[in-house]
Amino acid sequence: VPVGSKSLNQGDCFVLDAGKEIYTWFGDECSPFEKRKASEIAHNIVLNRYGHAHLVEDVDDEHEEFWTAMGGKGDIASASDYQEPAGTPEQKAPKMYIVSDDVDARIQITEVTNVSKESLDSDNVNLIDVGSHVYIWVGKGASHREQSQSMVIVNTHLKNFSREKNTKVVRLLEGQESRCKGFKTVMSQ
């Protein structure tokens, strides 16, 4: 995204590479998963500079060097006011699939017609595709193979429909649904 406060919004996390300083900025409404990923990205940038860069984590409104590098302070959009960039897939009616090991040790993908919380299968991995996002819901009884193959399946699915560059993939574990507002919204419809 372009460097500037207009690119920020309260629902996401951002990493700014300013050469010797690497900054992370966390919106007020971002998820813990987003914070972790932004921190990981920033940390990896610093490591790849072999001591020639410094990480400044979770900058606040008073951090002058950050705002100078951003071109000055400005209004930051709320999460609800944020507009996805052009080319982002439209939200569509959810489709749900269950990824399971069958008796012959093959991975099987079964479409579920009724997308609801009650349709989630705790013994398997469930994929919920809503267009702009694909949620990978890992049931407590899902096998290690189902878990690892689910990401491969989602990547292949997105590549086949040329959606790999603009569709967000969110993985969540059974029992941690409250951490993902988008998933809760989809499953409550």
Side-chain angles (χ1 to χ4, degrees), residues 78-146:
S78 69
S80 60
D81 290 340
Y82 174 68
Q83 297 291 319
E84 290 285 341
T88 301
E90 298 279 324
Q91 193 83 358
K92 64 179 186 176
K95 287 190 176 186
M96 184 170 166
Y97 306 91
I98 295 178
V99 178
S100 59
D101 286 348
D102 68 9
V103 214
D104 299 327
R106 287 185 285 172
I107 293 292
Q108 186 171 347
I109 304 167
T110 310
E111 186 169 359
V112 176
T113 54
N114 178 28
V115 179
S116 67
K117 276 191 222 177
E118 293 75 30
S119 299
L120 293 170
D121 184 348
S122 289
D123 292 328
N124 295 298
V125 172
N126 301 250
L127 308 176
I128 301 92
D129 185 352
V130 297
S132 60
H133 290 73
V134 175
Y135 297 98
I136 301 174
W137 185 85
V138 181
K140 289 182 179 177
S143 71
H144 178 69
R145 187 161 179 251
E146 291 167 351

Side-chain angles (χ1 to χ4, degrees), residues 9-53:
N9 73 75
Q10 295 293 350
D12 291 314
C13 297
F14 297 85
V15 176
L16 175 64
D17 183 346
K20 292 187 179 198
E21 300 292 330
I22 310 299
Y23 301 96
T24 59
W25 183 89
F26 303 146
D28 293 338
E29 299 174 49
C30 67
S31 74
F33 301 109
E34 291 172 310
K35 286 181 181 181
R36 189 184 137 282
K37 189 62 176 180
S39 294
E40 177 184 325
I41 290 167
H43 179 74
N44 287 339
I45 292 170
V46 169
L47 286 178
N48 286 326
R49 303 263 167 90
Y50 301 104
H52 297 287

